[in-house]
């Protein structure tokens, strides 16, 4: 995903970490979401990680600068 801007093209990627706030302190859920965010970033672009679950998303294509694996 990207956008044309003056002088070129800007590619946009996103990594998201999600935690469920269910009977726990908000700072605990925030720490879990933060951990899930860094897991999503480590796995690759365009990922959503739920705390305690596997990553969801589309594997990066070779045109995104990564080799398939």
């Amino acid at each position: 995903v990207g956008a044309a801007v003056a002088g070129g093209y800007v590619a946009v990627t996103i990594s998201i970490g999600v935690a469920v706030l269910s009977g726990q302190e908000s700072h605990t859920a925030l720490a879990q979401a933060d951990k899930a965010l860094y897991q999503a970033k480590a796995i690759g672009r365009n990922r959503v990680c739920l705390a305690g679950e596997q990553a969801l998303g589309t594997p990066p294509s070779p045109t995104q600068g990564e080799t398939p694996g």
Side-chain angles (χ1 to χ4, degrees):
V1 177
V5 294
Y9 183 82
V10 175
V12 179
T13 64
I14 187 167
S15 300
I16 300 173
V18 179
V20 176
L21 179 59
S22 177
Q24 61 187 342
E25 297 290 328
S26 60
H27 67 273
T28 301
L30 183 59
Q32 291 173 343
D34 191 54
K35 184 176 178 180
L37 168 63
Y38 284 98
Q39 177 188 7
K41 287 177 170 276
I43 293 169
R45 298 178 175 107
N46 299 320
R47 304 290 179 174
V48 177
C49 285
L50 177 61
E53 300 289 331
Q54 291 184 337
L56 303 174
T58 304
S61 69
T63 60
Q64 291 177 316
E66 298 183 15
T67 56

